[in-house]
Amino acid sequence: MYQPHQLRLQNRLLRALDPDDYRLLAGAFEPVQLTLGQHLTEANQPIGHAYFIEEGLVSLLADTMRPAADRVEIGIVGYEGMVGVPLLLGTDRSPHVALVQTEGRALAVPAPVLDEALGMSRTLRGALGRYVQSLIVQVGQTVYANADFNIEARLARWIVMAQDRLGRDELPITHEFLSLMLGVRRPGVTTATHTLEGAGMIRAQRGRITVLDRDKLLALAAASYGLAEAEYERLLKEG
Amino acid sequence: MYQPHQLRLQNRLLRALDPDDYRLLAGAFEPVQLTLGQHLTEANQPIGHAYFIEEGLVSLLADTMRPAADRVEIGIVGYEGMVGVPLLLGTDRSPHVALVQTEGRALAVPAPVLDEALGMSRTLRGALGRYVQSLIVQVGQTVYANADFNIEARLARWIVMAQDRLGRDELPITHEFLSLMLGVRRPGVTTATHTLEGAGMIRAQRGRITVLDRDKLLALAAASYGLAEAEYERLLKEG
DNA sequence: ATGGTATTGTACGGTATCGCACGTTATATG
DNA sequence: CATATAACGTGCGATACCGTACAATACCAT
């Protein structure tokens, strides 16, 4: 059995749990590696585990029941969150896909264990429910970003969000993937990347983007960034 | 006290509740009128009541902490749903605004009553949680629609969604408002409206759009419509 | 070292949508 | 009935982004 001390974990949700609530889950932790391209959940298939991310980056994609290529990213999850939100909401599946963007680690909790724990603890429901709330805000901000901001601003937003959720400055990501994330052409990402690099915001290498000047990125992303993140921090403290 | 029989209500969530769960809420119902332009909830202000919509249409807007005009619609709610989702998720506020688009009626439930009822009933948590899930999918589809579909398709999507949630063919809505909903210029709505009218899909009058041929609208909206609605129906039956 | 493959760079015509400005028409108000 | 006002219609140059195509480069595997 793997039952690490709560405060040795990276996952911010687990760290913030009431110790009693933590114990309800910790006994069932299954540490798993997250490998690039892995699907943690499939569209409309039973979700067997919730995944509390310890390290790495996971994209939530709308499946859209269409040719593969026009899936769009609706949210991202890192060590601040979890995958498997439908399990918190009384169902075992959703039409979304959870795709590992950057390899890492997670603690998996079997759905029945989570379910029982939720039934026993109001505070656990609150803590994880508030995470759902922050995720809704994040998806809402993505709607806003796609409606009112150009590619460069959205790229800046994505980079900063990924930096937050990955906890480091080096983001392993290709233009191809970014074009999917942002819902734009791949060459559009290339030129936008050049602009950001020319402005000293990032350094771009093959398959990697490194944040050089976060403040400048924030200025470019402007109001497309920040609201969801502020809401997350507020909600985490509310517990 | 106003405590109507469950099956005399319009609201689909309330109708689908387990009768025991219904009773937990029904004693506290406060019938309210929804008037055009009214804010049911304000950004970052305490949410005093949940509103189960009986009639009318409510838009959820991302507040975006910016000049008034660039708020964007992230979701809509009619008699199939409720306003006040954060109350289900362990918090009393959110950075979104709930704006009445079409006048109607709702049953308001004080937050403390809802909270207590949720604490007492796992099935109630499940039923309302599944609505949250359907709302997440709806917002996700809005991301997808804005990313991959032109104004005409998005207009068709919005019209059909509004028709669903209002339960009638006549939609009282101005181009000005639609431009806000779709995140586009107001004249862009005007010309798109003409296209749809020319194709016999709708009839447009001042401040009113009437659905004439829903099937054609569905064909135009294509994959931007349907996923969230299918998910809603699936989840409602799961209870 | 070499060839193959994934990734990135560049180009170019086409178009959806924008921003802005100003008519025009319908409905409400006195 | 007259007038105001809200809503809708139209025009036009600008531009961000698209679709497509292809070239160049970095990395990987044999």
Side-chain angles (χ1 to χ4, degrees):
Chain A
M1 171 149 32
Y2 175 80
Q3 193 170 340
H5 188 281
Q6 186 174 6
L7 295 182
R8 302 196 58 163
L9 298 180
Q10 300 302 310
N11 187 271
R12 294 189 62 192
L13 289 179
L14 292 177
R15 287 173 63 96
L17 286 184
D18 180 286
D20 290 337
D21 291 336
Y22 178 73
R23 252 172 260 124
L24 290 175
L25 301 176
F29 282 161
E30 300 172 10
V32 297
Q33 292 292 319
L34 307 182
T35 64
L36 190 64
Q38 179 184 3
H39 287 197
L40 292 182
T41 70
E42 294 287 353
N44 303 310
Q45 300 299 315
I47 300 172
H49 298 77
Y51 297 87
F52 292 86
I53 309 298
E54 281 281 288
E55 187 189 348
L57 202 62
V58 178
S59 283
L60 305 179
L61 306 174
D63 192 55
T64 75
M65 53 189 183
R66 289 233 295 190
D70 63 30
R71 295 194 297 196
V72 167
E73 183 184 66
I74 62 169
I76 64 181
V77 184
Y79 76 105
E80 93 295 349
M82 59 168 289
V83 168
V85 160
L87 297 177
L88 306 175
L89 299 174
T91 186
D92 72 340
R93 64 194 66 194
S94 95
H96 294 156
V97 174
L99 175 68
V100 175
Q101 285 290 339
T102 301
E103 58 185 7
R105 297 172 294 110
L107 295 169
V109 176
V113 173
L114 180 61
D115 204 50
E116 194 181 1
L118 288 169
M120 289 169 58
S121 168
R122 178 188 205 103
T123 53
L124 181 63
R125 291 196 297 272
L128 299 183
R130 285 190 290 275
Y131 173 67
V132 175
Q133 160 72 6
S134 80
L135 195 63
I136 292 174
V137 175
Q138 189 194 139
V139 180
Q141 281 302 103
T142 304
V143 174
Y144 174 54
N146 288 353
D148 283 12
F149 291 82
N150 64 20
I151 295 183
E152 287 162 19
R154 278 147 63 197
L155 177 60
R157 169 179 186 254
W158 196 94
I159 291 171
V160 173
M161 286 179 67
Q163 184 191 24
D164 289 342
R165 287 160 181 78
L166 208 45
R168 68 179 115 105
D169 295 344
E170 257 188 49
L171 314 175
I173 181 86
T174 67
H175 295 183
E176 184 74 42
F177 255 124
L178 275 172
S179 77
L180 185 69
M181 300 303 101
L182 302 177
V184 299
R185 281 178 325 140
R186 199 272 308 155
V189 173
T190 301
T191 53
T193 301
H194 294 162
T195 305
L196 269 60
E197 192 166 25
M201 299 175 182
I202 61 172
R203 190 157 101 90
Q205 290 155 293
R206 190 188 174 82
R208 181 192 311 171
I209 287 177
T210 309
V211 175
L212 296 181
D213 190 333
R214 181 180 167 94
D215 287 341
K216 280 186 187 167
L217 288 171
L218 291 177
L220 179 55
S224 70
Y225 174 86
L227 196 139
E229 290 71 19
E231 181 73 355
Y232 177 85
E233 298 299 338
R234 178 182 81 76
L235 290 166
L236 200 69
K237 288 189 181 67
E238 228 186 54
Chain B
M1 172 153 29
Y2 175 80
Q3 193 169 340
H5 188 282
Q6 186 174 6
L7 295 182
R8 303 197 58 165
L9 298 181
Q10 301 301 309
N11 187 272
R12 294 188 62 192
L13 289 178
L14 292 177
R15 289 173 62 97
L17 286 184
D18 180 287
D20 290 336
D21 291 336
Y22 178 74
R23 251 172 262 125
L24 289 175
L25 301 176
F29 283 160
E30 300 172 8
V32 296
Q33 292 292 318
L34 307 181
T35 63
L36 190 63
Q38 179 184 2
H39 288 199
L40 293 182
T41 69
E42 294 289 353
N44 303 310
Q45 299 299 315
I47 300 172
H49 298 77
Y51 298 86
F52 292 87
I53 310 298
E54 281 282 286
E55 187 190 348
L57 202 64
V58 178
S59 282
L60 305 179
L61 306 174
D63 192 54
T64 76
M65 53 190 182
R66 290 231 298 188
D70 65 27
R71 295 194 297 196
V72 167
E73 184 186 64
I74 62 169
I76 63 180
V77 183
Y79 76 106
E80 93 295 348
M82 60 169 288
V83 168
V85 160
L87 297 177
L88 306 174
L89 299 174
T91 187
D92 71 340
R93 63 194 68 194
S94 94
H96 294 157
V97 174
L99 175 67
V100 175
Q101 286 290 339
T102 301
E103 57 184 7
R105 297 171 295 111
L107 295 169
V109 176
V113 173
L114 179 62
D115 204 52
E116 193 182 1
L118 288 169
M120 289 169 59
S121 168
R122 178 185 205 107
T123 53
L124 181 64
R125 290 198 296 272
L128 300 183
R130 285 190 291 275
Y131 173 68
V132 175
Q133 159 73 5
S134 79
L135 195 64
I136 291 174
V137 174
Q138 189 195 138
V139 181
Q141 282 301 103
T142 304
V143 174
Y144 174 54
N146 288 353
D148 282 13
F149 291 83
N150 64 21
I151 295 183
E152 287 162 19
R154 278 148 61 198
L155 177 59
R157 169 177 185 254
W158 196 93
I159 291 170
V160 174
M161 288 180 68
Q163 184 191 23
D164 290 343
R165 286 159 182 78
L166 208 45
R168 68 177 115 106
D169 295 345
E170 257 188 49
L171 314 175
I173 182 87
T174 67
H175 295 182
E176 184 74 42
F177 255 125
L178 275 172
S179 78
L180 185 69
M181 300 302 102
L182 302 178
V184 299
R185 280 179 325 141
R186 198 269 309 156
V189 173
T190 301
T191 54
T193 301
H194 293 163
T195 305
L196 270 60
E197 192 166 27
M201 299 175 180
I202 61 172
R203 190 157 102 90
Q205 290 155 293
R206 189 190 176 83
R208 182 193 311 173
I209 285 176
T210 309
V211 175
L212 295 181
D213 191 333
R214 181 180 167 95
D215 287 343
K216 280 185 187 165
L217 287 171
L218 291 176
L220 178 56
S224 71
Y225 175 85
L227 197 138
E229 290 71 18
E231 181 73 354
Y232 177 86
E233 298 299 336
R234 178 182 82 76
L235 290 166
L236 201 68
K237 288 189 183 64
E238 229 187 53

